[in-house]
Amino acid sequence: MPTPPKRKPDSARRANRIIQQRTLLLLALLGIGTFLLLFAQLYKLQIKQHDELKTLAVRQQTLRTTVEASRGTIYDKNGDILALSSTAENVCVSPLDVAKNEQDQDLIANGLGEILGVDPSGILDDMKDTASQYKVIKKKVEQETADKVRVFISDNDIKGVFLEPTSKRYYPYSSLAAHVIGFVNANGGAYGLEAVYDEELTGEKGMVVSARDANGNALLYQYEQYFDAENGDSLVTTLDKTVQYYLEKGLEELESRYGTGVGATGIVMDVNTGGILAMASLPTYDLNAPASIYNKEMLAAGMTDEELAAAADTLQNMQWRNKAINDTFQPGSTFKILTLAMALEENKVKMSDTFNCPGYVVIEGAKINCSKRAPGHGHQDLITAFANSCNPAFINIGLRLGNTTFYNYMKAFGLTGKTGVDTTGEASGFVNKEIEYSTLALACYAFGQNFNVTPIALLAKDLDEMIFHTLRDMTFGDMRVLLDDGRTMRVRVDDVDAMADEVLYLKLQQLPRNPEQYQRLRQFAMTHESLSALRTLYLRFAAFQTPDELDFIARTVRSAYSPYRWHEWLQ
């Protein structure tokens, strides 16, 4: 009969139970700890880092291709194109695809280098970055060059080289109105209107998003979404292409015949509106190649190629400089018309006044000569003195006005500040404080000496108080007007002439509503037969007019515009 197993002592059984309980407790604690760690990690990944990881996943699983927006066109007042964006293409390479498909890199580099005119070694360096799928070899190549690249790719069965559509800025008239229009660089508008209205002209880029596999290849028919590009607004200026051409031609002839070799500038302004019809400066440049020195005979005469390269930056800045707004000068006799206008307005001179010119005048011990030295112009009336541009006569007129009145008129004419013309780099005039108290300073200022103004300020005078800006922003059809208080308005207009009239009307709507502005606007409307001003009188200044005057204005405007448009304006 077998012997029954011995029963373990109670102490051993208790020890085993304790060990078992402790083991279960330890396992439970480890399980809970592990769960808590996993939960914390899941919380971090799925909650705290959700957006970041989602973005990374989308980037890994999708391929984005940018769709370039077309930059807006710039027109003159008659609708002639001054700047436009034409079709171009970027030549690109995918180092990843070149390596994956075991392409001949030397063949690619030498072939593209010859077609594009770039250094093959640079292309080889780009193809070394095999983690990348996108390297731009050359931007904005012409269609003819792009077609040669396509033939090269096809003939050699090359994989990893591709073209992407883009646009290139083109200026059909080369250097015409270069200083007003300006140009673009890789960052957008760099100078002139291209810079001032860069945001409006640029538009918004679009995008094509498609699915891709782990190797970065596009997955056809899996996922694709298009985000359309929004083309930039167009810009219609007050410039007149024909007037601009003759102004530039005239400047070139004058510089060739009488110039000092430092250049010249000219402005043609519509005196009825303040609109700039033409603005030119010499030296100038080619908008299609702004970095190239254009007037070499003026800027780089006698320079060797090495000297020209060393001075390139300085010469470029000189040719880009718009002398009409960037530079100041002593106006001289061109200022005398303003001195006379001040005196006539203040009743300090009459048409019957006479002046004696001995050829000079002494002010505070300083002798100031006339253009006609002694014996001078002699006895002359006001009209003759004006025709003779007689310095002593205008010094006499200036002294009658006095320092304070004269200086106040200079400020009122806008000669001490900026006009606000919407282009880049406008300078301010320089007026010495001596004009506030010095008799000698007043005598010199009266015939345009000892102070500086910009050509645009001297020409504009106080026109900008009525018209505000001389260049206007809009698009054909759906017109987008930038108002002075920062607001934007859209108006449907069918032709360029109506556009200009509509912009003037919207600008006039911002005039302060007071009796002084009413009288100025009324005079402007009658003098220039401006329907825009009449509309403003009717809609904004009705409180200052009689019922008969309002009825007259209404009948005048109705006779010029269709009943439908008149009804629309009255809303």
Side-chain angles (χ1 to χ4, degrees), residues 314-389:
T314 300
L315 297 178
Q316 286 168 2
N317 288 323
M318 289 174 65
Q319 70 178 11
W320 295 341
R321 191 172 184 83
N322 186 351
K323 296 177 183 293
I325 63 169
N326 299 148
D327 292 356
T328 62
F329 73 112
Q330 295 187 62
S333 292
T334 60
F335 187 79
K336 290 175 181 175
I337 189 172
L338 297 186
T339 301
L340 181 57
M342 299 175 197
L344 290 171
E345 181 69 18
E346 293 294 319
N347 295 316
K348 297 297 184 181
V349 294
K350 301 186 295 296
M351 299 301 292
S352 59
D353 286 355
T354 59
F355 304 88
N356 183 56
C357 172
Y360 68 94
V361 64
V362 178
I363 303 293
E364 294 184 346
K367 182 179 180 180
I368 303 174
N369 291 312
C370 185
S371 58
K372 185 176 182 180
R373 304 298 175 92
H377 294 112
H379 191 74
Q380 53 193 337
D381 59 21
L382 180 61
I383 294 176
T384 304
F386 183 72
N388 289 333
S389 189

Side-chain angles (χ1 to χ4, degrees), residues 111-140:
L112 292 181
E114 182 180 352
I115 296 171
L116 302 175
V118 298
D119 186 0
S121 63
I123 301 176
L124 288 171
D125 289 340
D126 285 336
M127 288 189 288
K128 291 178 182 178
D129 185 9
T130 55
S132 172
Q133 287 184 281
Y134 184 79
K135 293 286 185 179
V136 178
I137 304 302
K138 189 170 184 178
K139 292 183 176 181
K140 302 181 184 298

